[in-house]
Structures are given as C-alpha cells and as structure tokens.
Amino acid sequence: MGIVAGLDSSPDFTRIVVCDTDSGAVLRQGYAQHPVEVPESGGRPSDVDPQAWLLSLGEAAGGGLLEGVQAIGVSAQQNAVVPLDAQGNTVRPAMVGGDKRTQVAAADLVDALGGREAWAQAVGCVPQAAQPITKLRWMARTEPENARRTAILLQAHDWLVWQLLGRPVRRTTDRGGASGTGYWSAATGAYRPDLVELALGHQVMLPEVIGPADAAGTTPEGLLISVGTGETMAAAFGLGIGLGDAVVSLGASGSVMAVHPEALVDGSGMITALADATGMHLPVVTTLNAVRALRGAAELLGLPDLESLSDLAMKSTPGSHGLVLLPYLEGERTPNLPHTAGTLAGLRRESMRAEHLARAAFEGMLCGLADALDVLRGRGVEVRRVFLLGPAAELPAVQAAAPMLFGTQVVVPQPADYAAIGAARQAAWALGASQGTLDVRNPPAWQGAVAQVLEPGDELAVGQAVRQQYVAVREQTHPGAL
C-alpha cells in the first residue's frame, strides 16, 4: 500500500488530500487561502500573480502533510492563462476567471473567424469571455507590448506542474485542460496555432499534450508528478463518473456535462466539446441562470435564505398551480437568448400565492437544466443517472423535484474535495502505470462518492406533465429557441 496526493488550486485556495493508492480513502488533508488582495469593488481579482498559488500550496502542505507520498496530481482553476516570456518569466499577472474585460474581445474573435459555427467546427467551442483565447485577444488589443513579449502560454495546472518539477525545458498539459483553451480541438486532438496567432498576433510555444496516465516528470527527490488537469475534469474523475452519467452543477449559473466516447461538434455553439481526464469526452452545456433564479425569488418574497424558500415551495404541489417561471433573468445561453428577460406565466387568482411562486422558481431552474440535458440527449448522449452538485442540491425542494423533472435517477454526493481527490486518483494512475501495475487505459478503481440516491418512481408521469407545461410556455414565448 502506497500513498499519493492530489492538490486542487481553485480560484480562492489550495486544498491537498493524501489518499491510499489502492482504495482512494482520504488519510489526511491540508488547506490554505491564496494570499490575494480582494478588489475594492468586491468579488475576485481578474489578475493574479501565480506566485500566490505556490505560496498557498506551500502553506497547505505544511506540517509534514506530504511525508511518504510517492506521487502528486495537480488540479487547478480553468480559464486562467499564464503568459511567459522566452526565459519562462511571467510577462504579466495571470488572467483568471470570467473576465468581463474580455467580452468585446470574445465577440471580435467570433467575427474574425466567420461566426459561431466556424469556431465550433475548429475547436468545439465558441469563444467566451472566460476562455484563454479571448484573454489573448484582449491583451493584444490593450497591452500590445505584453502581447509581443509573450513567447510561451501555460494554464494554471500546467504552470504549477512545471514549478513542482523545477521549471524543466519540457512543458506539458493534458487533453482536459487543453480542450478549454479555445485553441486545441478535442475532436482532432491537436492545437490550432493559427487561432493563437489570430488572437495574439503571433505564434508561441504551447505545452505538449500527454496522455491521461502519463507522468509529467519526477522531482529530484524522486516524487512522480502526473500530467494534471482542469478542475472540472478532476472533479468528474474524483466523483468516478463514466458512460451513462451526467453531472448537473448548481451555481449562480448552471452546467450540465456528461461522459461521451466522442467529441460533439455543435454548430449552434450550445455544446462545448471538452475532453475529460481519462481519454473520453466531456460535452458541456451551460445555463446562465440557476441558483440566481432562486435567490431572486427569495428576495421578491422577502425570505432570508434559500432554505426558507425551499420550505415554502414544499407547501405547493408539482406544477405550482399552473405558474411557470422561465428563469432567463440574465439573458440565457441555453437556449441562446442573450438579451431576453425572465417570464412568469400562468397567473390566475388561485395561483397568486407565495408558495406557488416559490415552487415555480425551483421548477423553472430545474426545467432550464433539463433543457440543457435534452440538448445532450438529442445528440445521442446516454444519461442513466444524474449527479447533482452544489450546496443547493441539499435543499428538499430541489431533491423533491429533480428526479421527476430530469426523468432519471439523481445522485446527491456528500460534499467533498472531489477535484483534489480526482487529482490524487490521477497521481495513483500515473504511479501504477510507471510501475507496470496499472493499465494506461484503465484508471485505478477507487471507492465511489458517498451519496444519497433519489429515484423518480411513481412521479415520473407528473414530472413529464410539469416539463410539458414549461416547454409550452417557452415555445409560446420564444418560438424555436431550442
């Protein structure tokens, strides 16, 4: 029995778990916040010195946490891009997160290649404000001198792996991380350097994409470092999802992703064709409105929190007495209605009660996510069960409605550091492959997430009726949008 570590460098902190190589049981863990200044406007900074990630990593690993560890895997926030000069020094702070500065650059790039479908065909996704390629375009337009000095591009997990290995000449990445850049295609497994040039103005060095079970290298002390991956792919790997599984994440916005054997090219741009951490594919459909619709409803009804909204919703019945909320409060991506607003339909005297509006908010959010699930199903993606993630997944109103509206088994995993666990599982895979004890095609079989399992049962027909009510309002309000 050996031990391996997985570290997840999220936008706010570093989390490290040390796991048993064979079972995946978490033996010990460490945590540290990134030493990053919060902007005066609040929220997260758009520019971060990547040294902050190393400082929190060192703090999280303190107290002998990594003693006896044989291999480390690295998961990190996606969409962060670290521009380096020819000597490997940072040209400017890393550009991170959903950067509002780059919205114009995203639209600019879409036009420059000839529209959304051209991008979908080229790299499986349409440029969004958060993506590295869009940040390159912004830098070329706004900081031309920094753009000119940029000779090497790394993502957050690439940069951390490179630092752990002592900044070797060889720089590596994985398919999962590369698939989110906007300049690597999951369908062809190749970079599009012409798109980097389109965005930045010139060619640069890009990290070598190596296999899911490959090691990026070994430290002078003999510690094996696996390839690493993005946070989404690491979390999926830590959860242990496979073919037939979808993951629905309930944040302010929502996302639906599923494991699929091939890349899905979607001319409408609704599907983002990501790769996963195992050699499979991870098509993703996002909605702009998920928990923000619940928060809006709670504020409208004068309720202090989402738990109170859930309690109120449970006093109503499926279908909310005919009330239907299309929760497109910030515009919407799925369906593609960027400039629309939300709609509340079905108002009758008997439906104008607080509990029915509360229930309609939950049903509207979940029906919007069910629409996103149906986009994947419509492309042949099999969905036998849905993993529901995020604090809102614990709400009774969500758990009551989700199985009947999704029309399938719903699994609510216990909260855990799934991205860090996924990174540790990757480390165990690379270690086993290097020792000849594991096949490079089959990752270690770790115990799955501890979870609550919810079945639609007898309420499947009721759920279908609620969905039909929602779809009828959506089609009447926005004909042909989906």
Side-chain angles (χ1 to χ4, degrees):
M1 283 205 317
I3 56 172
V4 291
L7 73 86
D8 174 39
S9 181
S10 84
D12 301 312
F13 56 80
T14 298
R15 178 90 66 186
I16 302 177
V17 295
V18 175
C19 298
D20 177 89
T21 307
D22 297 323
S23 69
V26 176
L27 306 174
R28 48 187 192 258
Q29 47 195 314
Y31 169 89
Q33 288 276 131
H34 297 318
V36 171
E37 283 185 31
V38 176
E40 286 181 17
S41 58
R44 291 173 175 149
S46 300
D47 293 327
V48 173
D49 182 349
Q51 292 295 329
W53 307 334
L54 278 185
L55 290 169
S56 67
L57 193 166
E59 189 183 336
L65 184 77
L66 300 179
E67 200 172 312
V69 165
Q70 296 165 280
I72 293 181
V74 177
S75 149
Q77 58 180 307
Q78 281 150 251
N79 297 321
V81 63
V82 188
L84 305 177
D85 64 18
Q87 286 72 47
N89 302 312
T90 50
V91 167
R92 70 178 311 288
M95 298 178 72
V96 300
D99 199 326
K100 288 192 173 171
R101 296 175 297 184
T102 60
Q103 285 172 341
V104 172
D108 196 19
L109 279 174
V110 172
D111 292 343
L113 196 64
R116 297 168 65 85
E117 189 159 353
W119 279 98
Q121 293 291 340
V123 285
C125 61
V126 177
Q128 303 291 336
Q131 277 183 308
I133 193 160
T134 309
K135 291 165 180 170
L136 300 183
R137 180 70 153 200
W138 178 88
M139 185 164 60
R141 293 282 185 269
T142 315
E143 301 176 353
E145 184 52 38
N146 285 339
R148 275 193 292 276
R149 287 177 53 216
T150 299
I152 303 156
L153 291 175
L154 296 179
Q155 289 180 277
H157 76 85
D158 309 333
W159 187 85
L160 285 164
V161 164
W162 185 57
Q163 295 291 331
L164 289 171
L165 291 171
R167 297 163 60 105
V169 173
R170 182 192 190 213
R171 300 173 190 87
T172 60
T173 192
D174 85 309
R175 299 167 62 256
S179 66
T181 58
Y183 45 81
W184 185 88
S185 165
T188 63
Y191 281 117
R192 288 290 303 266
D194 58 315
L195 299 182
V196 176
E197 187 166 357
L198 178 71
L200 191 63
H202 61 91
Q203 302 271 345
V204 294
M205 286 181 66
L206 299 168
E208 177 189 347
V209 180
I210 61 176
D214 290 344
T218 306
T219 67
E221 300 76 33
L223 190 62
L224 183 134
I225 310 291
S226 65
V227 58
T229 194
E231 224 168 14
T232 297
M233 299 79 190
F237 196 42
L239 279 167
I241 68 167
L243 288 172
D245 291 335
V247 176
V248 173
S249 294
L250 301 177
S253 53
S255 71
V256 176
M257 63 181 178
V259 180
H260 197 58
E262 59 192 36
L264 294 179
V265 174
D266 174 42
S268 73
M270 277 194 293
I271 299 174
T272 298
L274 299 180
D276 80 347
T278 72
M280 300 284 274
H281 293 269
L282 207 58
V284 179
V285 179
T286 56
T287 67
L288 289 182
N289 301 279
V291 175
R292 66 163 44 97
L294 302 184
R295 294 205 185 283
E299 287 170 18
L300 184 65
L301 292 168
L303 298 172
D305 50 40
L306 297 187
E307 287 73 19
S308 304
L309 185 72
S310 173
D311 291 345
L312 185 60
M314 293 300 280
K315 294 175 181 171
S316 181
T317 52
S320 310
H321 273 243
L323 270 192
V324 174
L325 176 67
L326 300 183
Y328 307 154
L329 309 183
E330 302 278 327
E332 192 45 85
R333 274 188 68 184
T334 308
N336 185 30
L337 298 165
H339 306 300
T340 194
T343 302
L344 184 63
L347 281 169
R348 298 179 188 278
R349 180 65 192 89
E350 65 271 18
S351 66
M352 295 177 75
R353 296 174 64 95
E355 62 265 31
H356 303 324
L357 177 56
R359 176 95 191 189
F362 283 96
E363 290 179 345
M365 174 187 77
L366 292 169
C367 283
L369 290 161
D371 279 350
L373 263 176
D374 284 349
V375 169
L376 294 178
R377 284 176 169 137
R379 292 296 305 277
V381 176
E382 186 182 13
V383 179
R384 287 196 302 269
R385 60 178 178 169
V386 169
F387 284 73
L388 201 55
L389 302 185
E394 304 287 333
L395 296 171
V398 169
Q399 295 193 2
M404 69 167 94
L405 295 177
F406 294 157
T408 189
Q409 184 186 83
V410 170
V411 179
V412 184
Q414 278 188 4
D417 303 308
Y418 291 110
I421 291 166
R425 190 178 177 207
Q426 187 193 69
W429 194 7
L431 181 66
S434 73
Q435 295 172 339
T437 57
L438 283 177
D439 189 326
V440 295
R441 291 163 301 185
N442 297 310
W446 280 11
Q447 57 201 24
V450 178
Q452 192 177 358
V453 178
L454 310 167
E455 301 283 357
D458 298 339
E459 294 194 303
L460 197 53
V462 177
Q464 287 174 330
V466 175
R467 277 296 311 281
Q468 284 165 1
Q469 176 178 275
Y470 178 91
V471 169
V473 171
R474 189 193 69 223
E475 276 299 303
Q476 189 176 1
T477 314
H478 305 287
L482 267 182

